[in-house]
């Protein structure tokens, strides 16, 4: 019969996968709401794009500043820090009344995503049982993408069919994050804490720089197009095509 520690180790892989997906849900959750925010706060699609860019800045800052911290502090503390950023973002959105509030909320959301992207992936790989070890990185990718896709779909349904269209989605996400925190606390620590706190050092071997530049350019272009589409899709579907159903707008972004 398994003791508590053995049960926790056995459940660590699915628990951490859930936590990863739950945090990433919040990063795309506001997408179907921008048309409503625009109507309430009287801003243009350009402002929506700026709000999305603020999220990207938060992700980049977290990756560069805190990207290696989990090696020194442990996976669990950094995953809890990422969850704290996610809750703080949801709280800001709950009371958002200006564009500045949206910018702050998206920055906090970007920080949570930046912390989780590296830390949760490493934790999942380390917590994977032997039978899943070769597929752990793929599971991390699926958890990431599934959370990103579920965010606008969940928000679209709640905005369209539930009360408090600009608030309920964030209350639901706070509940999901609380469950994610519980999952992280149950899962055992996987890091040996052998690193040190410092800025993430980035370098590319000279021989690989041409290949890296080509791949990086393609990745940047692809992500830029995806970000722009995600930013303007709900407004386009609503204002140009004339589809006022927010669930359908969320589905268009989730795709």
């Amino acid at each position: 019969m398994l003791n508590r520690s053995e049960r926790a180790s056995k459940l660590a892989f699915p628990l951490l996968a859930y936590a990863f997906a739950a945090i990433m849900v919040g990063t795309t959750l506001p997408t179907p709401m921008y048309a409503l925010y625009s109507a309430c706060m009287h801003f243009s699609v350009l402002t929506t794009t700026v709000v999305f860019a603020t999220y990207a800045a938060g992700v980049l800052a977290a990756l560069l500043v805190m990207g290696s911290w989990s090696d020194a502090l442990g996976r669990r503390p950094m995953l809890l820090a990422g969850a704290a950023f996610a809750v703080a973002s949801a709280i800001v959105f709950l009371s958002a009344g200006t564009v500045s509030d949206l910018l702050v909320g998206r920055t906090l959301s970007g920080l949570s995503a930046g912390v989780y992207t590296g830390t949760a992936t490493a934790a999942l790989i380390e917590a994977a049982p032997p039978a899943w070890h070769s597929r752990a990185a793929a599971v991390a990718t699926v958890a990431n993408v599934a959370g990103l896709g579920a965010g606008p779909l969940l928000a679209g349904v709640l905005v369209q069919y539930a009360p408090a269209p600009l608030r309920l989605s964030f209350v639901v996400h706070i509940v999901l994050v609380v469950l994610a925190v519980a999952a992280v606390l149950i899962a055992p620590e996987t890091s040996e804490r052998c690193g040190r706190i410092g800025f993430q050092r980035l370098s590319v071997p000279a021989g690989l720089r041409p290949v890296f530049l080509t791949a990086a350019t393609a990745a940047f272009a692809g992500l830029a197009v995806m970000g722009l589409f995600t930013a303007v899709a709900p407004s386009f579907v609503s204002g140009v095509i004339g589809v006022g159903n927010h669930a359908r707008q969320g589905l268009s972004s989730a795709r």
Side-chain angles (χ1 to χ4, degrees):
M1 189 171 184
L2 298 175
N3 59 36
R4 180 178 298 179
S5 177
E6 291 172 332
R7 287 197 299 269
S9 296
K10 190 173 182 178
L11 292 173
F13 190 61
L15 288 174
L16 291 172
Y18 163 76
F20 195 0
I23 294 297
M24 299 311 293
V25 165
T27 64
T28 54
L29 201 64
T31 302
M33 306 179 198
Y34 285 122
L36 297 178
Y37 283 128
S38 177
C40 294
M41 302 177 189
H42 310 290
F43 59 76
S44 65
V45 174
L46 177 61
T47 302
T48 303
T49 307
V50 172
V51 172
F52 264 83
T54 303
Y55 162 79
V59 173
L60 183 60
L63 289 173
L64 291 177
V65 176
M66 295 178 280
S68 61
W69 286 17
S70 68
D71 292 334
L73 300 177
R75 310 297 184 213
R76 180 184 290 171
M78 293 308 299
L79 292 175
L80 294 177
F85 284 130
V87 171
S89 173
I91 291 173
V92 170
F93 273 105
L94 279 172
S95 58
T98 66
V99 173
S100 296
D101 295 333
L102 300 183
L103 294 174
V104 172
R106 290 300 285 165
T107 301
L108 291 168
S109 182
L111 290 173
S112 73
V115 169
Y116 259 75
T117 298
T119 305
T121 298
L124 272 170
I125 293 173
E126 293 163 352
W132 281 85
H133 191 73
S134 62
R135 291 170 283 180
V139 172
T141 300
V142 170
N144 188 346
V145 175
L148 292 172
L153 184 59
L154 171 64
V157 171
L158 293 178
V159 168
Q160 182 65 33
Y161 301 111
L166 293 179
R167 291 180 173 82
L168 182 59
S169 296
F170 299 106
V171 173
V172 171
H173 187 240
I174 289 174
V175 174
L176 294 177
V177 174
V178 169
L179 295 175
V181 168
V184 170
L185 292 175
I186 292 172
E189 177 60 59
T190 59
S191 173
E192 297 180 355
R193 298 187 177 95
C194 58
R196 62 184 181 85
I197 294 177
F199 289 101
Q200 186 73 34
R201 298 181 63 182
L202 304 176
S203 64
V204 179
L208 297 179
R209 287 173 188 171
V211 176
F212 175 81
L213 182 61
T214 301
T217 302
F220 176 82
L223 290 173
V225 171
M226 184 184 73
L228 179 62
F229 173 81
T230 306
V232 303
S235 298
F236 177 82
V237 171
S238 175
V240 178
I241 300 180
V243 176
N245 187 295
H246 294 284
R248 293 183 180 179
Q249 294 172 19
L251 179 60
S252 70
S253 298
R255 290 175 179 175

